[in-house]
Amino acid sequence: MIRSAWAGGVLAAALLAVTAAACTGAGTRESGNGGNGTRTPPPGGKSAEAQDPQTTRQTLSWKACPPPTPAEGGSSGRAPGPDWECATLHAPLDYAKPRSSTNSIDIALIRAKATDRSHRIGSLVFNFGGPGGSGITTLPAFADDYQKLRTRYDLVSFDPRGVGRSSGVTCLDDRQLDAYYAADAAPATPNQQKALVERVTAYAAGCERNSGKVLPYVGTENAARDMDLMREVLGDAKLHYFGVSYGTELGGVYAHLFPDKVGRALFDGVVDPSADPVQSALAQAKGFELALTNYMDACTRTSDNCPTEPQISALLKRLGDKPVPGGAGRDLTRSLATSGIAQSLYSKDFWDYLTEGIEDAENGDGRLLLSLGDAMNGRGQDGRYSTLQSSLNAITCADFAQRYTAAEIVQRVPEFRKASPVFGEFMAWSLTQCTGWPVKGVWQTPDVSAKGSAPVLVVGNTGDPATPYGGAKHMAQELGPGVAVELTYRGEGHGAYDSGNACVKGAVDAYLLDGTVPEPDKICS
C-alpha cells in the first residue's frame, strides 16, 4: 500500500479472525522518476550484477516451520501446516562490505513445494506489501488462492530485512504503542500539533535506540538485492515474482536493478512510482474517499441502516471529544476509529463489519471499530504488536529523503480536507512519519525504469482505496516502453487477484503458468 499512511492491506486474513472475535465476544508512496527525481547511487555503491560468490554459494537448510512470532503477527501460536518449510538466508547487512564477518543479516524464508514436480517452472516469490508485511504469516494464510500456481511453482515468501523475524524494527513497547495509536493524529491547534510532533520524534528516538544498527540498511534497494541473492540461492536463472501493493514498488526497483533477471512478474494493487510522499498521501485520501462512497452506495441498495458521510464525520468528532469504551479497559478514540474505518475499506468482505461497527460506536460500544483499528496497527488479540507499522516507517524513511514540518503540513490541510472530509486531515498529518528520523533517505522517488526486462503484468483496480487506479498506468509508463502489459479490474478493494474475479485470475494464471501475455489494455469486470 502507499507508505504515507495505513499499511493494513497485508492483514486481511488476520482481520477476519479479529473481527469475528469482536462480533462474538462478550457484550502510505512512490515514482520511477523518469529523470525528475534526485538520485543517489545504490546503497553500498555496488553494481547490480556484483553479488558476492561467498553468499551466493550458501545452501539453505529447510526445516519444519515454527509458529510465527508476535513480531510477525503470529499471536495465534499455530505453526503452518506440514506443506510448509522454513529456512534462513544469510545476506550482507551492507552490500558495500559483503565479506565482512560482522556485516550480515538473516532473512527468514518460507516455501511450499510445487505439487507437479515434473512440470515445475521454478520458485514464485511473493511480497504482500506494507512495507512491513510478514510473508512468513501472509503466504500460508492466503495459500488456498494460489493452489493452481503451486502446481508448477514452489511458493516462496519472506520477511524482508527490518520486518518480523528478519531483524524486525521495534520502536516502543506494547503499552507505549497502545497510547501512541490512540492519541489524536489530526491535530487542530498549535499545541496539539506540537504534541504530535513530539510524539513522532520520541517514536523515532525509540526506533534508533532499539533498532539503530539496521535502520540505515532496510531500504527497498537493499531488499531488492536480497531478492536477487534469494533467486541465486534458490537455483533460479530468473526471478518469477508476485508483488502486491508496496510489493509492486519493490518489484519495480528489482526490475530496474536487474532487468535481465526478471522472469514472469505480476504487479497487483500497484503503487504509483511517479508520486512523492505528498502526492501519494493526497491520492490515497482520494482513494479512501472513493471507497467510502462506493461502500455507502452499495449499502443503501440492500439496507435501510446505512451511515452517511456527515454521520461518520460527526461520530469521529464526538470520539475526539469523548472516546467510548472499547473493551478490556481500552477506549475507542477518533484516531483508532478512523484507522478502523479505513481498514474495513480494503475489502468488500469487511463492509458489513463497518456498518455494524459504526452503529455500535454511536450507541457507546467501540469494540468492533477498535478491533478493526487494531488490525490496521498490527495489534494482536493478545495485546502484542507486530513490527508492521514500525517496519513501514523504517523502510519509508530509509528510502525517501523528504522531511515535512508542521508548518508545511498546515498549509496543505485544506487541500487534503477537500479530497476527503473523513480521511484527509489524517493523511496530511501522516507526512510527519519521518520527522526526527535518524537516517537520511536516498531518493525523492524510486527509479523503476527497466529497459530490457521481460514483460511485467500490471493490474490496476478502479476501486482500490490504498493504491489508487492511476498508479498502475504510471507504473507502466515508468517501467518503460515494451515492458508493462496493463490489465484493468473494475472492482472494489485492495488488489485484484484475491478478489475472486475469474477474469483476473484466469489472465494472471495464464501468464505465470504458461507465459501467455494478455491482450493490451484488457478489462475485467
Side-chain angles (χ1 to χ4, degrees):
M1 81 171 274
I2 292 179
R3 304 195 290 184
S4 50
W6 294 296
V10 297
L11 292 177
L15 176 59
L16 288 174
V18 171
T19 49
C23 291
T24 59
T28 226
R29 141 176 147 150
E30 309 148 293
S31 167
N33 59 42
N36 296 323
T38 299
R39 297 292 300 158
T40 61
K46 296 195 74 176
S47 71
E49 296 77 19
Q51 290 282 12
D52 180 58
Q54 194 169 340
T55 57
T56 59
R57 286 197 296 263
Q58 66 184 286
T59 300
L60 297 173
S61 178
W62 293 100
K63 300 177 181 178
C65 294
T69 66
E72 294 169 299
S75 59
S76 71
R78 292 191 298 271
D83 286 350
W84 299 92
E85 52 187 1
C86 290
T88 300
L89 177 76
H90 306 295
L93 179 63
D94 181 354
Y95 274 92
K97 304 171 184 176
R99 292 176 180 261
S100 170
S101 61
T102 60
N103 173 56
S104 65
I105 187 169
D106 290 342
I107 308 298
L109 308 181
I110 190 168
R111 78 173 177 188
K113 289 184 178 180
T115 55
D116 184 355
R117 305 300 292 176
S118 63
H119 296 93
R120 178 181 176 274
I121 297 170
S123 304
L124 182 62
V125 176
F126 289 76
N127 181 280
F128 293 96
S134 166
I136 302 294
T137 56
T138 306
L139 181 56
F142 283 97
D144 287 348
D145 290 343
Y146 310 126
Q147 285 306 306
K148 188 170 183 180
L149 296 174
R150 189 187 166 195
T151 58
R152 301 189 63 198
Y153 286 105
D154 295 345
L155 305 185
V156 178
S157 195
F158 62 109
D159 286 358
R161 55 175 59 211
V163 175
R165 204 176 297 167
S166 302
S167 299
V169 172
T170 59
C171 301
L172 305 176
D173 65 31
D174 294 327
R175 186 181 294 275
Q176 291 170 325
L177 287 173
D178 276 345
Y180 184 78
Y181 292 124
D184 193 355
T189 68
N191 284 340
Q192 291 171 343
Q193 293 159 11
K194 180 182 178 183
L196 182 146
V197 171
E198 289 174 349
R199 287 196 304 273
V200 172
T201 303
Y203 182 93
C207 300
E208 183 177 25
R209 184 169 56 252
N210 295 314
S211 297
K213 178 182 176 182
V214 300
L215 293 184
Y217 306 107
V218 298
T220 298
E221 288 183 332
N222 275 329
R225 284 176 164 72
D226 291 341
M227 289 205 303
D228 197 58
L229 175 60
M230 195 183 308
R231 173 195 61 77
E232 283 210 49
V233 174
L234 289 169
D236 293 321
K238 304 282 186 178
L239 179 76
H240 304 298
Y241 183 69
F242 194 125
V244 183
S245 198
Y246 158 81
T248 66
E249 181 177 300
L250 174 58
V253 171
Y254 179 90
H256 172 69
L257 294 174
F258 306 97
D260 60 325
K261 300 300 183 183
V262 175
R264 299 172 188 173
L266 168 70
F267 292 0
D268 184 14
V270 186
V271 166
D272 180 353
S274 64
D276 63 24
V278 168
Q279 293 165 332
S280 295
L282 188 59
Q284 197 175 42
K286 294 175 181 177
F288 276 100
E289 181 68 20
L290 174 62
L292 182 65
T293 300
N294 291 345
Y295 149 73
M296 291 185 294
D297 289 347
C299 183
T300 57
R301 291 194 291 269
T302 59
S303 173
D304 296 327
N305 186 34
C306 300
T308 64
E309 187 159 14
Q311 180 183 348
I312 294 172
S313 295
L315 170 64
L316 293 174
K317 185 177 186 303
R318 291 197 301 274
L319 291 173
D321 297 330
K322 187 177 181 181
V324 300
R330 300 172 66 215
D331 288 335
L332 176 69
T333 65
R334 177 168 70 148
S335 292
L336 289 168
T338 304
S339 293
I341 293 168
Q343 175 69 89
S344 69
L345 297 175
Y346 273 89
S347 171
K348 291 171 66 175
D349 293 340
F350 308 149
W351 285 3
D352 287 344
Y353 291 128
L354 178 55
T355 304
E356 183 179 351
I358 290 172
E359 181 180 13
D360 288 351
E362 289 189 316
N363 292 323
D365 181 354
R367 288 176 300 171
L368 183 48
L369 279 186
L370 181 58
S371 294
L372 289 158
D374 283 347
M376 178 68 79
N377 293 325
R379 188 185 196 270
Q381 291 175 261
D382 60 358
R384 302 286 300 277
Y385 282 85
S386 72
T387 66
L388 174 65
Q389 293 290 350
S390 56
S391 301
L392 180 148
N393 260 46
I395 296 167
T396 299
C397 300
D399 282 346
F400 283 90
Q402 294 90 335
R403 303 292 185 259
Y404 299 99
T405 67
E408 290 171 326
I409 293 170
V410 167
Q411 294 298 314
R412 294 185 177 275
V413 164
E415 181 182 13
F416 277 81
R417 190 184 295 124
K418 181 179 179 181
S420 175
V422 170
F423 303 110
E425 291 182 58
F426 287 84
M427 296 302 305
W429 285 101
S430 75
L431 293 168
T432 59
Q433 70 183 126
C434 295
T435 297
W437 199 257
V439 173
K440 292 183 178 181
V442 299
W443 62 42
Q444 298 293 311
T445 58
D447 194 343
V448 300
S449 58
K451 183 178 180 180
S453 168
V456 175
L457 181 53
V458 177
V459 182
N461 180 355
T462 58
D464 197 317
T467 49
Y469 176 63
K473 183 168 290 295
H474 292 155
M475 176 65 81
Q477 292 170 345
E478 297 289 338
L479 286 169
V483 176
V485 178
E486 293 183 73
L487 186 154
T488 293
Y489 170 50
R490 290 177 176 163
E492 302 296 335
H494 184 36
Y497 186 85
D498 291 322
S499 69
N501 182 270
C503 173
V504 172
K505 199 155 190 172
V508 172
D509 288 350
Y511 178 53
L512 293 178
L513 292 171
D514 303 321
T516 304
V517 178
E519 64 268 24
D521 302 315
K522 180 180 177 67
I523 296 175
C524 292
S525 300

